[in-house]
Amino acid sequence: MAAASYLPSEDQFLCSICLDLFTDPVTIPCGHNFCKDCITEHWDRSDRCQCPMCKKEFNARPELHVNTFISEMVAQFRQSAQQKASSSSSSSSEQQVFKPGEVPCDVCTETKLKALKSCLVCLTSYCETHLEPHLTASSLKRHQLIDPVENLEDRMCPKHDKPLELFCKTDQTCACKLCHVSDHKTHDVVPLKEEYEGKKAALGKKEARIQQMIQKRQLKIEEIKHSVDLSKEDADREVAEGVQVFTALKESVERNLNEFIQTIEGKQNMRMKQAEDFIKELEQEISQLKKRGAKVEQLSRSEDHLQLLQGVQSLNIQHPSPTKDWTKVSIPPSSYEGTVKGAVGQLEETFSEVMKKVIEAELKRVQRYAVDVTLDPNTAHPGLILSHDGKHVRDGDVLKNLPDYRERFSDDLCVLGKQSFSSGRFYFEVQVKGKTEWDLGVVRESINRKGEITTSSEDGFWAIWLREGNYYNANADPAVCLYLKSQPQKVGVFVNYEEGLVSFYDVDAAALIYSFTGCYFTEKLYPYFSPGAKYGRKNAAPLIISPVN
């Protein structure tokens, strides 16, 4: 019987997201319960699928099914609560004594009960009992009732002691009907309710704008976080590749050093062995000579004529001693000329191979930022001929009569790309095959285009150029001569706007030609091309913007 009369508390059936009784309650894998719409909306707004209570994270969004048991319990709780409320409302409503923070009834004389409504005409707050006349008497039904408020006298005009029912738009102040006649007769005055609705609508729009601004900033935060994540991935990948390259170089240096030391030590050991052999042979001859010398000395002291003559004959004193002629024997000083140079040369070859692989990998990375560039005819010098698709440009050797647009080059054989770039990274390739003169690069939007122009980086030109078929230059300040191992047939141009980097590549050789670093870009950048003068047929080939493979 006790179990049958048990009524759970409301807290047991509240959703922790909306803080209201469950509607279509669902249970997620960790065991916590939520309204189906609440948890779905929570996961839609979040970048993670996790429980709002215990923060348990799920790899995939769980499939939600309504928990019929909890749903039935909530329905029973609602029904029981309604029955309990209806059975006690008649007796308890009359005894609701006002509490601190609530508005008391102004009519109650002994025990002040809680006010249910305030009348803006009577300027009085009423409990349920004393409110009855305003609900039944026809003369009082026209009074304006609002939710109970304190200090109703503040709603009265201090000058005329009348309700503040109007709003003066001219003076932006509340007024009563007598104020309208006396002080605001010619002003724009509207009912208070009308101004309230207008202001409320304006506040709603402002709130919507604020929410929109908040959402934009939240999206910007996510964008920045995503950029940081991408940057970290790039940094980690670059570090890994750098570690791999430098480890290989370190191992190569150590290997070459060991080989170099072994070569020197080998030569030195060979000379030491040769010297040891000579010394051993000399010591053997010295021993033999000492023995012979001892016999000679012994005979030279003999006074026996026969013994001396016989001894001399046995020593064969008339012939030289059977020993080597050492006058021309020597150990030449060690010769190590070219040993260090050879080792460094071998190391240089290794470095060149590694550098080529690094540049090849770098070129593949920057080619991911390829953009479609076309030539802008409105910027082209009148002597240039552009193809219909905007991919080829050459010197036409004849000036055309074209409108002198502000953006058109007047004296120099130049043309810009239609596309501009003010952030991020971009890359394009240009075929320069068969040409003896050309300029390539990027320029800022505000460059001078009229008359004779100076094409240096200080003037907003970041470019390299070819003259006389084999003289390459980078127009830095001062200019830099470029010494290339081979003549590029196709040149790649890469720009990192934020990093202030402009790099040029020999695409076929996978080699870096030149890089402008530490540039400061504040304007739009445009691709820049100059095919150079034709000089008869010597430089007639066009510059061709090529698709990136």
Side-chain angles (χ1 to χ4, degrees):
M1 295 297 292
S5 61
Y6 169 74
L7 183 63
S9 66
E10 184 179 4
D11 292 343
Q12 293 176 274
F13 301 109
L14 293 183
C15 172
S16 60
I17 296 178
C18 65
L19 302 179
D20 203 348
L21 288 176
F22 286 126
T23 302
D24 294 333
V26 294
T27 304
I28 62 176
C30 62
H32 292 106
N33 304 302
F34 307 91
C35 297
K36 185 176 183 180
D37 289 341
C38 291
I39 190 63
T40 301
E41 184 178 353
H42 174 77
W43 283 340
D44 288 343
R45 291 197 308 267
S46 176
D47 58 352
R48 295 179 179 177
C49 186
Q50 63 179 10
C51 174
M53 295 287 289
C54 66
K55 305 302 181 184
K56 179 177 176 59
E57 196 161 339
F58 309 109
N59 294 329
R61 182 178 291 198
E63 187 176 356
L64 301 177
H65 300 285
V66 175
N67 189 318
T68 55
F69 175 76
I70 297 178
S71 182
E72 291 172 0
M73 291 292 290
V74 172
Q76 292 177 10
F77 176 84
R78 279 200 179 98
Q79 184 178 2
S80 300
Q82 289 172 358
Q83 291 175 353
K84 183 178 178 181
S86 59
S87 63
S88 59
S89 60
S90 57
S91 59
S92 62
S93 61
E94 297 175 357
Q95 305 299 325
Q96 288 181 351
V97 179
F98 93 99
K99 302 173 184 177
E102 296 178 339
V103 178
C105 175
D106 293 329
V107 182
C108 293
T109 55
E110 296 181 358
T111 302
K112 288 288 186 180
L113 300 181
K114 175 184 175 181
L116 294 182
K117 294 290 181 181
S118 295
C119 177
L120 293 180
V121 178
C122 304
L123 297 179
T124 305
S125 297
Y126 300 103
C127 65
E128 184 177 6
T129 302
H130 295 118
L131 182 63
E132 186 66 23
H134 278 76
L135 302 177
T136 56
S138 57
S139 59
L140 297 177
K141 282 184 179 180
R142 292 191 298 270
H143 289 193
Q144 186 176 355
L145 298 176
I146 61 172
D147 291 334
V149 294
E150 294 182 316
N151 303 321
L152 285 168
E153 59 273 10
D154 293 342
R155 297 173 177 268
M156 300 294 290
C157 174
K159 184 176 181 180
H160 302 106
D161 199 27
K162 295 291 183 181
L164 297 172
E165 302 176 276
L166 305 174
F167 184 82
C168 177
K169 292 188 174 183
T170 307
D171 294 338
Q172 290 294 300
T173 185
C174 297
C176 68
K177 291 181 179 180
L178 293 180
C179 289
H180 184 198
V181 176
S182 60
D183 302 331
H184 305 275
K185 189 172 184 180
T186 59
H187 294 179
D188 184 8
V189 177
V190 297
L192 198 65
K193 184 178 181 181
E194 180 181 327
E195 183 65 17
Y196 157 81
E197 291 174 349
K199 284 288 193 292
K200 188 172 183 180
L203 287 173
K205 291 180 180 178
K206 187 171 184 179
E207 183 182 4
R209 285 197 300 270
I210 291 173
Q211 290 300 321
Q212 190 177 19
M213 292 170 67
I214 291 172
Q215 290 177 359
K216 286 183 178 179
R217 281 151 181 78
Q218 288 174 336
L219 289 174
K220 180 57 69 173
I221 289 173
E222 294 303 318
E223 179 184 329
I224 292 172
K225 287 181 178 179
H226 183 61
S227 298
V228 170
D229 291 340
L230 291 179
S231 178
K232 186 177 185 305
E233 290 176 5
D234 289 343
D236 291 343
R237 183 174 58 252
E238 199 71 18
V239 167
E241 292 178 1
V243 168
Q244 185 178 359
V245 169
F246 281 100
T247 300
L249 289 175
K250 179 183 175 184
E251 292 173 353
S252 179
V253 169
E254 290 176 348
R255 186 170 54 253
N256 282 19
L257 176 60
N258 290 334
E259 291 175 358
F260 167 74
I261 293 173
Q262 289 172 7
T263 301
I264 299 297
E265 289 178 345
K267 288 184 178 182
Q268 179 64 15
N269 290 337
M270 184 179 65
R271 280 165 174 75
M272 288 177 65
K273 178 67 168 58
Q274 189 178 19
E276 288 173 357
D277 291 344
F278 284 155
I279 290 170
K280 186 176 181 181
E281 189 176 353
L282 284 167
E283 287 176 343
Q284 289 176 350
E285 290 191 4
I286 290 171
S287 177
Q288 293 174 0
L289 289 171
K290 283 182 178 181
K291 291 178 181 179
R292 188 178 181 85
K295 290 181 179 181
V296 171
E297 183 182 1
Q298 183 180 2
L299 286 174
S300 66
R301 293 177 182 176
S302 175
E303 295 179 358
D304 187 336
H305 299 166
L306 179 62
Q307 184 184 11
L308 185 142
L309 291 174
Q310 289 176 342
V312 168
Q313 190 175 4
S314 67
L315 286 172
N316 199 11
I317 198 168
Q318 301 299 325
H319 295 85
S321 303
T323 57
K324 184 186 290 188
D325 182 6
W326 292 93
T327 57
K328 295 182 180 180
V329 175
S330 66
I331 301 293
S334 298
S335 175
Y336 301 114
E337 289 81 2
T339 308
V340 175
K341 182 180 178 182
V344 173
Q346 189 175 0
L347 193 60
E348 187 177 6
E349 289 181 8
T350 303
F351 272 45
S352 297
E353 291 175 3
V354 171
M355 181 58 72
K356 182 174 177 59
K357 291 179 181 178
V358 170
I359 296 299
E360 286 175 350
E362 180 180 307
L363 183 57
K364 287 180 180 179
R365 282 200 300 271
V366 301
Q367 284 176 330
R368 297 203 306 259
Y369 301 99
V371 294
D372 184 21
V373 174
T374 52
L375 302 169
D376 185 357
N378 291 337
T379 66
H381 180 273
L384 294 178
I385 296 178
L386 277 60
S387 62
H388 292 297
D389 62 358
K391 299 292 185 179
H392 298 220
V393 58
R394 62 181 176 86
D395 178 20
D397 216 13
V398 176
L399 292 178
K400 298 187 291 292
N401 185 16
L402 298 175
D404 187 20
Y405 296 131
R406 180 178 59 84
E407 60 267 31
R408 189 185 301 284
F409 290 94
S410 63
D411 287 24
D412 287 36
L413 290 170
C414 305
V415 61
L416 301 184
K418 284 184 179 181
Q419 295 73 20
S420 65
F421 306 90
S422 55
S423 65
R425 291 170 276 195
F426 63 94
Y427 174 85
F428 59 93
E429 292 179 354
V430 182
Q431 181 178 307
V432 296
K433 184 178 180 180
K435 298 195 63 60
T436 59
E437 181 175 313
W438 50 259
D439 294 49
L440 286 176
V442 293
V443 298
R444 66 184 178 216
E445 186 176 29
S446 63
I447 57 167
N448 178 32
R449 310 184 192 195
K450 303 300 180 184
E452 187 175 351
I453 59 178
T454 305
T455 58
S456 72
S457 56
E458 289 295 312
D459 298 301
F461 290 76
W462 292 272
I464 61 173
W465 45 261
L466 168 67
R467 297 290 183 270
E468 300 176 7
N470 59 3
Y471 180 54
Y472 294 90
N473 202 298
N475 63 352
D477 193 19
V480 178
C481 291
L482 305 175
Y483 301 96
L484 308 183
K485 292 182 178 180
S486 61
Q487 288 193 323
Q489 302 298 300
K490 186 182 291 184
V491 176
V493 184
F494 173 69
V495 177
N496 187 326
Y497 194 97
E498 284 75 20
E499 293 292 331
L501 173 68
V502 182
S503 294
F504 299 86
Y505 297 89
D506 181 340
V507 177
D508 297 325
L512 177 66
I513 299 174
Y514 185 76
S515 286
F516 292 90
T517 59
C519 308
Y520 183 61
F521 302 132
T522 57
E523 303 178 23
K524 293 178 180 178
L525 296 180
Y526 288 85
Y528 163 72
F529 311 85
S530 175
K534 187 162 61 172
Y535 302 119
R537 298 297 301 171
K538 187 177 180 182
N539 190 41
L543 288 178
I544 303 174
I545 301 173
S546 306
V548 178
N549 294 326

